[in-house]
Amino acid sequence: MMHREGFTESILSDTLARGKVKLDALYSELVGRSYGELQLEYDFLTAGWGIYLDDIRLTGKIDRIEIIGDGRIRVTDYKTGAGFTALDETWDKNERIKKWKYRLQLTFYALLFSLSSRFQAFPVREYELFFVETDAKTGAFRHVVEYIQEWEIERMKRLVRAVMGKIRTLDFPAISGYSQDLTWIRAFEEDLIEGRI
């Protein structure tokens, strides 16, 4: 595939060499550990479990689900890049938006799992982002584990309903009044949820 993209041979060989080093490190990190029951590349659509919020059909693909036991599962999404060790607030504007997007994605996953009859037996759900590039200083892999709260899932339901309503009526709100920083992104979400736009 990379040949079709028109990369020069030197860029191609350098990229493949770096990729091999990273994959070898990731392999060493993941293999040889004790795991619970694993389900890889789980697709809610093809798994035969219809996930509906009201009449809205939802789907998602999960990189890894680990059934740990004692009513616990860990839902893992692999990410490229060096990543973070926490999704807390930061001063950097772009990093704040990136972390918000990750939290939004994990909350959507939590919504899927909360609506899935297949996973009702697992009330404790950990949501993990695993970054596949090692930290430049420590050489360690970074990961974030979050527990999505019920109020976040309920808010996501309201947001999905609001967005779907706009799609169905082709009523796409103007965004020119919202600047591209996290405060205004959150304000836009709230305006959607509350029906102000």
Side-chain angles (χ1 to χ4, degrees):
M1 180 173 138
M2 293 177 71
H3 287 287
R4 290 195 307 259
E5 297 298 321
F7 291 111
T8 65
E9 283 301 318
S10 64
I11 291 175
L12 182 61
S13 62
D14 180 58
T15 302
L16 291 174
R18 284 187 292 119
K20 183 181 182 323
V21 169
K22 291 176 184 178
L23 279 175
D24 288 345
L26 183 61
Y27 181 82
S28 297
E29 176 75 13
L30 297 178
V31 172
R33 291 185 173 197
S34 177
Y35 293 100
E37 177 188 332
L38 291 176
Q39 297 183 28
L40 304 176
E41 298 186 8
Y42 187 88
D43 186 343
F44 277 97
L45 186 62
T46 60
W49 302 95
I51 304 296
Y52 287 89
L53 175 62
D54 308 326
D55 63 339
I56 305 167
R57 187 171 189 180
L58 306 175
T59 188
K61 292 184 179 181
I62 311 298
D63 291 337
R64 185 179 87 185
I65 301 170
E66 181 182 2
I67 298 174
I68 300 169
D70 298 328
R72 287 176 50 219
I73 60 172
R74 180 176 294 128
V75 177
T76 301
D77 189 62
Y78 292 104
K79 296 290 185 194
T80 57
F84 314 104
T85 55
L87 295 183
D88 54 352
E89 294 289 330
T90 181
W91 62 269
D92 183 88
K93 175 183 172 180
N94 294 328
E95 192 172 288
R96 289 181 75 208
I97 292 172
K98 192 172 190 177
K99 288 181 174 184
W100 163 79
K101 287 179 181 178
Y102 286 154
R103 184 83 186 186
L104 194 69
Q105 178 185 3
L106 294 181
T107 305
F108 184 78
Y109 286 170
L111 172 60
L112 288 174
F113 280 86
S114 74
L115 296 173
S116 169
S117 59
R118 162 71 176 89
F119 293 102
Q120 290 304 309
F122 306 99
V124 180
R125 303 177 187 119
E126 300 173 2
Y127 297 91
E128 176 185 42
L129 297 171
F130 189 106
F131 298 92
V132 299
E133 188 168 321
T134 55
D135 181 271
K137 293 179 182 175
T138 66
F141 287 94
R142 293 180 176 184
H143 65 100
V144 175
V145 175
E146 294 287 328
Y147 295 88
I148 306 300
Q149 303 300 311
E150 191 61 37
W151 70 265
E152 294 175 276
I153 296 172
E154 290 303 315
R155 184 180 184 278
M156 178 60 73
K157 287 179 183 178
R158 295 179 67 202
L159 185 58
V160 168
R161 288 179 179 123
V163 169
M164 195 64 200
K166 295 292 183 185
I167 292 171
R168 286 179 172 161
T169 60
L170 300 178
D171 176 22
F172 304 118
I175 60 170
S176 59
Y178 300 90
S179 67
Q180 294 183 9
D181 64 46
L182 189 55
T183 300
W184 285 99
I185 291 171
R186 287 180 171 152
F188 178 74
E189 285 182 341
E190 286 302 314
D191 287 346
L192 271 175
I193 288 170
E194 298 300 330
R196 292 189 288 260
I197 56 174

